[in-house]
Amino acid sequence: MTMKWEKCSTGLSDILADAMGAFPAQKRMMFGCPAYFVNGNMFAGVHQSSIILRLTEPDRRHIRQDYDESLPFEPFPGRLMKEYMTVPEALYESPADFAAWIGKSIAYAAALPPKTPKPRVTKKEKLK
């Protein structure tokens, strides 16, 4: 079964980029979509037509209670990313509220153990 790949929304990418201006984060592109990292841990990004945030369990419950449209992030059917939630449109239409949730997300990711980049393996090394 092939899945139809949808490019990430440039509008949502711009919304997230504008909101990220106040936060110390590293931007990387993943699968053609922007993702934001702190200490090597991803905490926010855009996937197709959704903005996603990495949140603690209590924060995931809280966002779900406040916004019915917020759902656990599932990039592909059956592939749940348990710490990530989609951000409802109502949230990112309120810059102050959106910034508060991004703050929670970056604080959570910053508290995680730092990830060290894995060494890149060249094609030549793979063939050995």
Side-chain angles (χ1 to χ4, degrees):
M1 176 174 101
T2 18
M3 301 212 22
K4 184 178 180 215
W5 182 258
E6 179 185 329
K7 286 186 178 185
C8 67
S9 164
T10 55
L12 291 181
S13 297
D14 293 344
I15 288 169
L16 185 57
D18 289 345
M20 289 306 304
F23 297 96
Q26 179 188 23
K27 179 182 176 182
R28 297 184 206 159
M29 298 301 283
M30 293 182 59
F31 307 107
C33 300
Y36 294 86
F37 294 77
V38 63
N39 295 334
N41 294 300
M42 187 172 93
F43 68 91
V46 176
H47 180 265
Q48 297 182 356
S49 60
S50 298
I51 293 176
I52 59 168
L53 295 176
R54 186 177 200 171
L55 299 167
T56 63
E57 176 61 33
D59 285 338
R60 291 192 301 271
R61 283 194 310 269
H62 184 211
I63 198 170
R64 189 65 199 258
Q65 288 171 350
D66 288 354
Y67 302 94
D68 290 339
E69 309 83 32
S70 184
L71 299 171
F73 177 55
E74 194 173 10
F76 302 103
R79 304 293 258 183
L80 183 71
M81 290 181 69
K82 68 178 181 169
E83 293 185 328
Y84 292 85
M85 295 294 289
T86 60
V87 175
E89 187 174 339
L91 183 57
Y92 55 78
E93 287 180 346
S94 172
D97 292 342
F98 190 31
W101 279 101
I102 291 172
K104 291 176 184 196
S105 182
I106 195 171
Y108 175 49
L112 295 172
K115 283 191 178 178
T116 54
K118 294 179 183 175
R120 294 188 71 126
V121 178
T122 65
K123 287 182 184 178
K124 226 180 215 186
E125 291 172 327
K126 285 181 186 178
L127 295 174
K128 288 183 181 181

